[in-house]
């Protein structure tokens, strides 16, 4: 390396560094892209699996719905109740007119092009009639009544609280003697008067060919295997080839059907992923080679250009002798290049820092201005004047209750409109909340009760303004409206060590699971978004949970407490913050 020229060393060093950077960047890009490709393929696999499971669910639902409608049909029930009740010749073979009427009724339920393969009516006395697009032989009917399948149906419905029987896929017995016989599955219900729950008089069986299952499962590519399991975890149907499950990239998911006692399991080898990775490797190699060639060429040009002043300086120094004590710098613009770059860079950083400080200050002021504007978007003077007029007029008429109502409402409006520095004491917050609840007490009288408890040395602690009264209002708007009186709201304020806490509890219906999940999502969205954009989306009416959460986050950062939960009967909101925070002035 010592014998190499300066420019060659410069080129080798920088090329090595650039190679490491390129390889590191490509490696990172490769890992991210591979993970995204795997995740995308797995999500697509899950989406198709859920869609397929839903179609299977709909198929079983339609079969059961058809069976139930026919089983409860008064005409069908009447015909089967009127049968002889003895094991003789098939009643419907002896009475073709009745058989024709029954088949017409069955066809009215199965008139669609995509209707079910076969609908059968029968009883334990070997009376049998059906309508279908598939062959039924006399030998098959006799074989069916002698089969274990028919016995299993009878045993199932002899149990208590058993309403629907699912026959697992098996060979079509009713088509015995035919050249082509396919597997089928079925849903069975009892024929009886469901309104009076009268005696059972037969069975209705809606059958579907397994070809229907194959059509539903045809959305998947050949690399997917689907297996259907019953309640005993026994596989009763499958499609596709066996899959080697030793591959670390092997995909698997299972979905429980809602309308049938089955579980569908999906397996997939990541064939698309492997094929895409082969293409990706090829493209990546080409791109890396091109980047390296271009980078080396550019590096060579840059090295030659940047090292020229130093090479000239070296030549000048080599020419210095006792007779020539002069150093000639050919490129004067390159003199003290590093120092000039350092000075320029420091000057740029200083300007950048000043600009950032100005931007932060401006943005902070903008957010605070926007926040206080939300609290003062009403004209309090007009409202106070109107309340004063109402109070004076009621006193003239001798009404003593209205002046008190006007006074309390005026106190609330005055408190809400005078933000000051944005803080208040716990005692003042609870006083305004009590004024609000007294107004509600006037409205609901004995139907509403409340209690306020403030522990010693807690009332004078300073907290953000307007967080207690909105929670009380929220109780009436959401928690108490769905329950019968007497309604109750309890407020408890206390402090522990360096924290203050306020708990607001009602005896309403409590928070629903959906609301708690939605509020959690809103909190997560607030964490990701800018505070300014959060405040811009809060209206003057939005002074409850999202607004309170946002203001607490602004004042306390990550140290505040905001918990929502249900406690026995009713909803609970718990708020808290640090006492030694600047906002408390303690």
């Amino acid at each position: 390396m010592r014998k190499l020229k300066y420019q060659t060393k410069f080129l080798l060093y920088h090329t090595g560094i650039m190679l490491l950077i390129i390889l590191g960047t490509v490696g990172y890009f490769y890992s991210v892209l591979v993970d995204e490709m795997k995740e995308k393929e797995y999500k697509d696999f899950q989406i198709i699996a859920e869609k397929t499971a839903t179609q299977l669910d709909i198929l079983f639902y339609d079969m059961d719905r058809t069976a139930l409608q026919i089983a409860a049909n008064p005409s069908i029930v009447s015909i089967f109740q009127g049968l002889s009740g003895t094991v003789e010749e098939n009643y419907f073979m002896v009475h073709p007119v009745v058989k024709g009427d029954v088949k017409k009724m069955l066809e009215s339920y199965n008139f669609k092009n995509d209707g079910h393969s076969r609908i059968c009516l029968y009883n334990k006395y070997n009376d049998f009639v059906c309508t279908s697009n598939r062959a039924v032989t006399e030998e098959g009917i006799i074989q069916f009544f002698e089969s274990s399948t028919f016995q299993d149906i009878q045993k199932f419905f002899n149990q208590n609280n058993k309403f629907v029987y699912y026959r697992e896929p098996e060979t079509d017995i009713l088509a015995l003697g035919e050249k082509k016989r396919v597997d089928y599955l079925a849903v069975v219900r009892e024929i009886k008067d469901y309104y009076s729950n009268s005696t059972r008089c037969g069975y209705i069986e809606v059958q579907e060919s397994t070809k229907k299952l194959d059509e539903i499962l045809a959305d998947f590519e050949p690399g997917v295997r689907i297996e259907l399991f019953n309640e005993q975890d026994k596989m009763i149907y499958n499609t596709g080839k066996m899959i080697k499950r030793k591959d670390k990239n092997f995909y698997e998911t299972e979905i429980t059907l809602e309308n049938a006692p089955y579980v569908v399991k999906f397996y997939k080898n990541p064939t698309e992923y492997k094929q895409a990775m082969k293409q990706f490797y090829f493209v990546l190699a080409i791109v890396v080679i091109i980047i390296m060639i271009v980078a080396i060429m550019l590096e060579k040009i840059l090295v030659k250009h940047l090292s020229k002043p130093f090479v000239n300086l070296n030549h000048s120094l080599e020419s210095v002798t006792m007779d020539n004590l002069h150093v000639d710098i050919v490129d004067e613009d390159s003199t003290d290049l590093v120092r000039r770059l350092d000075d320029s860079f420091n000057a740029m950083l200083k300007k950048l820092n000043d600009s950032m400080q100005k931007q932060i200050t401006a943005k902070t002021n903008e957010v605070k201005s926007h926040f206080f504007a939300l609290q003062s978007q009403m004209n309090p003077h007009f409202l106070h004047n109107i309340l004063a007029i109402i109070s004076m007029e009621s006193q003239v008429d001798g009404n003593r209750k209205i002046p008190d109502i006007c006074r309390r409402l005026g106190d609330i409006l005055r408190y809400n409109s005078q933000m000051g520095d944005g803080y208040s004491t716990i005692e003042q917050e609870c006083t305004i909340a009590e004024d609000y609840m007294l107004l509600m007490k006037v409205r609901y009288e004995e139907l509403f009760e409340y209690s306020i408890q403030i522990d010693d040395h807690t009332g004078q602690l300073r907290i953000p303004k307007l967080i207690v009264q909105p929670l009380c209002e929220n109780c009436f708007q959401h928690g108490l409206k769905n329950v019968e009186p007497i309604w109750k709201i309890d407020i408890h304020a206390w402090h522990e060590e360096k924290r203050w806490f306020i708990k607001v509890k009602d005896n309403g219906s409590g928070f629903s699971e959906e609301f708690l999940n939605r509020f959690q999502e809103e909190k997560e969205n607030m964490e990701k978004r800018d505070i300014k954009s959060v405040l811009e989306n809060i209206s003057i009416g939005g002074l409850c949970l999202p607004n309170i959460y946002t203001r607490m986050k602004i004042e306390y950062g990550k140290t505040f407490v905001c918990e929502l939960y249900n406690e026995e009967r009713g909803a609970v909101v718990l708020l808290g913050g640090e006492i030694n925070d600047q906002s408390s002035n303690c």
Side-chain angles (χ1 to χ4, degrees):
M1 291 291 291
R2 293 183 179 179
K3 296 181 180 180
L4 296 177
K5 294 182 179 180
Y6 172 76
Q7 289 181 325
T8 305
K9 292 180 180 179
F10 203 114
L11 177 63
L12 291 176
Y13 286 142
H14 284 77
T15 302
I17 294 173
M18 187 174 296
L19 178 61
L20 291 176
I21 294 174
I22 292 174
L23 292 178
T25 304
V26 171
Y28 173 76
F29 173 73
Y30 168 79
S31 63
V32 172
L33 184 60
V34 168
D35 291 341
E36 289 182 355
M37 290 175 64
K38 288 182 180 178
E39 184 177 358
K40 180 180 181 302
E41 186 178 20
Y42 183 68
K43 286 183 178 179
D44 293 342
F45 170 69
Q46 283 189 314
I47 290 172
I48 299 178
E50 290 174 0
K51 173 188 171 185
T52 303
T54 301
Q55 290 177 331
L56 287 176
D57 234 2
I58 292 174
L59 173 64
F60 285 110
Y61 172 78
D62 289 340
M63 293 172 66
D64 184 46
R65 181 182 60 180
T66 303
L68 182 60
Q69 289 175 346
I70 297 174
N73 186 295
S75 300
I76 299 293
V77 174
S78 176
I79 291 172
F80 271 80
Q81 286 179 339
L83 298 182
S84 62
T86 59
V87 181
E88 297 176 352
E89 191 174 1
N90 185 352
Y91 175 85
F92 296 100
M93 297 296 293
V94 179
H95 300 82
V97 176
V98 179
K99 177 180 179 181
D101 293 339
V102 173
K103 292 186 70 172
K104 287 181 181 179
M105 283 187 285
L106 295 181
E107 289 171 355
S108 68
Y109 290 97
N110 207 32
F111 65 89
K112 297 183 292 183
N113 293 330
D114 59 345
H116 304 296
S117 299
R118 184 188 290 145
I119 300 178
C120 304
L121 300 178
Y122 53 87
N123 59 18
K124 61 183 179 180
Y125 304 109
N126 297 356
D127 298 317
F128 184 93
V129 63
C130 72
T131 179
S132 71
N133 298 323
R134 298 164 58 195
V136 176
T137 65
E138 292 185 10
E139 296 176 358
I141 295 175
I142 296 173
Q143 184 69 27
F144 169 73
F145 283 113
E146 295 176 353
S147 66
S148 60
T149 301
F150 179 63
Q151 296 175 3
D152 291 340
I153 293 174
Q154 290 181 305
K155 290 179 181 179
F156 178 83
F157 286 109
N158 285 335
Q159 304 175 66
N160 294 327
N161 298 323
K162 297 293 184 180
F163 306 104
V164 56
Y165 178 76
Y166 291 89
R167 290 182 61 182
E168 299 173 356
E170 60 183 3
T171 305
D172 188 0
I173 302 176
L174 295 174
L176 184 67
E178 293 291 319
K179 292 183 178 180
K180 284 190 175 181
R181 288 199 296 165
V182 297
D183 292 347
Y184 73 100
L185 51 100
V187 175
V188 185
R189 277 187 175 270
E190 292 181 304
I191 300 175
K192 63 180 180 179
D193 188 348
Y194 282 84
Y195 296 101
S196 61
N197 199 21
S198 63
T199 306
R200 312 155 182 167
C201 53
Y203 306 98
I204 163 69
E205 181 172 326
V206 178
Q207 298 178 357
E208 192 61 75
S209 169
T210 54
K211 291 182 178 180
K212 189 73 173 181
L213 296 181
D214 296 335
E215 293 174 2
I216 293 175
L217 304 178
D219 288 341
F220 284 98
E221 62 272 12
V224 175
R225 177 176 174 85
I226 305 172
E227 299 174 349
L228 191 64
F229 290 82
N230 60 14
E231 291 178 304
Q232 289 74 36
D233 201 26
K234 174 186 175 184
M235 185 174 67
I236 60 174
Y237 187 77
N238 66 81
T239 180
K241 298 180 180 179
M242 289 298 295
I243 293 178
K244 297 180 180 179
R245 304 178 186 180
K246 295 181 180 180
D247 194 334
K248 63 179 180 180
N249 296 317
F250 173 74
Y251 297 150
E252 177 182 359
T253 186
E254 67 176 52
I255 300 174
T256 302
L257 300 184
E258 295 181 2
N259 298 302
Y262 299 138
V263 175
V264 190
K265 296 184 179 180
F266 301 84
Y267 308 95
K268 178 182 179 182
N269 277 330
T271 53
E272 293 181 3
Y273 163 74
K274 293 179 179 178
Q275 184 177 2
M277 288 308 302
K278 291 180 180 178
Q279 298 176 355
F280 172 71
Y281 292 146
F282 177 76
V283 174
L284 184 63
I286 297 298
V287 171
V288 170
I289 292 173
I290 293 175
I291 291 175
M292 288 299 302
I293 293 174
V294 173
I296 292 173
M297 293 177 63
L298 291 176
E299 182 69 18
K300 189 173 182 179
I301 295 172
L302 289 174
V303 167
K304 184 176 180 180
H305 177 73
L306 293 175
S307 64
K308 183 179 179 180
F310 300 101
V311 172
N312 293 336
L313 178 58
N314 183 57
H315 289 321
S316 298
L317 291 174
E318 289 177 352
S319 64
V320 174
T321 62
M322 292 295 293
D323 298 327
N324 181 21
L325 297 176
H326 175 71
V327 177
D328 184 16
I329 300 177
V330 179
D331 189 359
E332 295 181 355
D333 293 336
S334 64
T335 305
D336 204 11
L337 179 62
V338 176
R339 183 175 180 180
R340 285 191 288 113
L341 287 174
D342 182 67
D343 293 340
S344 300
F345 187 74
N346 288 329
M348 181 187 67
L349 285 178
K350 186 176 183 304
K351 292 181 180 179
L352 180 62
N353 183 61
D354 294 340
S355 176
M356 289 176 61
Q357 292 299 328
K358 291 179 181 179
Q359 185 178 4
I360 291 173
T361 302
K363 188 172 183 179
T364 302
N365 293 334
E366 181 183 0
V367 169
K368 288 186 177 180
S369 299
H370 188 86
F371 173 72
F372 286 120
L374 283 175
Q375 311 300 331
S376 57
Q377 290 179 353
M378 62 175 73
N379 188 345
H381 300 291
F382 171 76
L383 296 175
H384 293 163
N385 292 337
I386 292 298
L387 289 174
I389 293 173
I390 295 174
S391 178
M392 288 186 294
E393 290 293 330
S394 62
Q395 289 179 0
V396 172
D397 294 337
N399 191 315
R400 297 181 179 180
K401 184 182 292 187
I402 293 180
D404 183 67
I405 295 175
C406 293
R407 179 185 64 79
R408 295 186 183 278
L409 182 57
D411 291 343
I412 294 175
L413 292 174
R414 190 177 299 106
Y415 183 83
N416 291 349
S417 61
Q418 296 175 355
M419 283 303 297
D421 61 353
Y423 302 100
S424 181
T425 64
I426 291 179
E427 183 178 6
Q428 291 173 330
E429 277 289 281
C430 292
T431 300
I432 291 301
E434 184 176 18
D435 286 339
Y436 170 79
M437 290 190 290
L438 284 172
L439 292 177
M440 301 307 290
K441 184 75 173 174
V442 171
R443 178 180 177 183
Y444 296 109
E445 298 180 347
E446 72 275 7
L447 299 180
F448 169 59
E449 297 177 358
Y450 71 92
S451 67
I452 299 177
Q453 178 184 352
I454 303 176
D455 289 359
D456 296 338
H457 310 296
T458 302
Q460 299 307 313
L461 298 180
R462 287 171 60 80
I463 61 175
K465 200 171 184 180
L466 290 176
I467 62 174
V468 180
Q469 184 267 331
L471 293 179
C472 299
E473 185 177 353
N474 187 73
C475 294
F476 281 97
Q477 291 180 347
H478 302 287
L480 299 177
K481 69 178 183 179
N482 296 322
V483 298
E484 295 294 327
I486 299 174
W487 302 316
K488 295 181 181 180
I489 296 178
D490 299 319
I491 301 174
H492 182 202
W494 75 96
H495 69 278
E496 298 175 1
E497 297 181 353
K498 296 183 179 181
R499 284 180 175 270
W500 59 266
F501 296 92
I502 296 179
K503 178 180 177 182
V504 179
K505 179 183 183 302
D506 62 40
N507 65 338
S509 57
F511 296 112
S512 66
E513 194 70 24
E514 178 184 1
F515 176 84
L516 294 175
N517 293 336
R518 187 169 66 250
F519 184 72
Q520 182 64 29
E521 292 177 359
E522 290 180 0
K523 290 200 300 183
E524 293 174 358
N525 291 335
M526 290 179 189
E527 294 290 342
K528 299 176 182 178
R529 291 160 54 194
D530 184 83
I531 292 297
K532 175 176 176 291
S533 63
V534 172
L535 289 176
E536 287 176 348
N537 293 324
I538 297 178
S539 63
I540 187 62
L543 293 179
C544 203
L545 293 175
N547 181 289
I548 293 172
Y549 182 88
T550 303
R551 290 190 288 137
M552 294 283 286
K553 181 175 178 59
I554 293 175
E555 299 301 334
Y556 295 96
K558 296 183 179 180
T559 63
F560 74 98
V561 176
C562 181
E563 297 180 0
L564 279 63
Y565 58 94
N566 296 317
E567 185 176 275
E568 294 180 355
R569 181 183 178 187
V572 177
V573 178
L574 178 64
L575 301 178
E578 292 185 355
I579 296 178
N580 61 354
D581 193 272
Q582 292 181 356
S583 62
S584 65
N585 289 338
C586 296

